[in-house]
Amino acid sequence: MFDLFLPLILGAAVGIEPETSPIEVTDVIVEETLPVLDAGSGDDLSAAREPEPQLPMGKYTTALEVRPILGMTKSNWVGIREYEGQDLVYFSHLLAWRCGLWDIRYGINGAPAETVVGMEPCNEEFAQPNVMVDIENFPPYVVYPLQSVESIYIEIVFDDGTTDFAQFDRNEVRIP
């Protein structure tokens, strides 16, 4: 019985609110002002991939290790910030756990999650392989016109081939 309440207890301990209502998505689609990040590593939405071995090594580089964390922190997957007259859509949280993922895909304002976020390869040579060292080539955000992002749909593909998704209204993920 305790395992039924553990996610709620852990969520409360770190300030995570349980989801209580569905989120509406608008039908308005906007064009990006900058080119979409290229996945760089040949990521293809239709590519057939073999699941990676799921051996927990304590480095959080497999779906087995990152899935529980991303499940409990789903409300932090994305953030929208108004900055210098633009909407910046941040994927920082997901990128911090990217070593257990194949893809981060998203769609804006009702569009399907077909745009792949470029991800820096895992840095296995460091104690924390998820560390982001190449922000210049793999920025943690994409840019849209100011107040054009009303909603965002996120889909993540774990390195074992499974997926998870979330959908957010702008006000739910707006950051200062």
Side-chain angles (χ1 to χ4, degrees):
M1 183 166 156
F2 180 74
D3 56 339
L4 293 174
F5 295 102
L6 185 58
L8 291 174
I9 294 167
L10 289 174
V14 294
I16 301 171
E17 296 292 327
E19 294 182 30
T20 56
S21 62
I23 301 164
E24 292 186 30
V25 177
T26 63
D27 292 328
V28 179
I29 298 174
V30 297
E31 292 185 29
E32 295 182 27
T33 58
L34 295 179
V36 173
L37 295 174
D38 180 16
S41 60
D43 287 345
D44 179 359
L45 299 178
S46 62
R49 298 179 255 197
E50 290 295 318
E52 296 181 21
Q54 298 298 306
L55 303 172
M57 303 299 286
K59 290 195 167 200
Y60 300 95
T61 58
T62 66
L64 181 68
E65 295 170 305
V66 303
R67 183 184 295 104
I69 295 165
L70 291 176
M72 288 188 295
T73 60
K74 195 175 268 195
S75 63
N76 298 318
W77 281 9
V78 67
I80 299 172
R81 178 182 181 207
E82 295 176 8
Y83 183 74
E84 294 187 354
Q86 299 173 316
D87 279 350
L88 303 182
V89 180
Y90 283 89
F91 299 94
S92 309
H93 184 74
L94 289 172
L95 291 170
W97 299 103
R98 73 189 180 284
C99 293
L101 303 176
W102 276 335
D103 288 323
I104 301 168
R105 305 171 185 170
Y106 70 96
I108 301 293
N109 299 340
E114 294 178 345
T115 305
V116 179
V117 175
M119 294 191 294
E120 177 178 354
C122 295
N123 294 297
E124 299 286 343
E125 67 274 17
F126 298 120
Q128 294 85 21
N130 289 304
V131 66
M132 296 169 56
V133 296
D134 193 4
I135 301 292
E136 186 175 316
N137 290 313
F138 297 98
Y141 60 86
V142 292
V143 179
Y144 284 87
L146 184 62
Q147 298 184 355
S148 65
V149 178
E150 295 298 323
S151 64
I152 185 163
Y153 176 77
I154 306 287
E155 182 177 283
I156 57 175
V157 182
F158 293 99
D159 67 6
D160 64 358
T162 61
T163 62
D164 197 356
F165 69 93
Q167 185 173 302
F168 303 100
D169 180 64
R170 175 188 190 88
N171 291 332
E172 293 175 307
V173 293
R174 190 159 172 239
I175 56 178

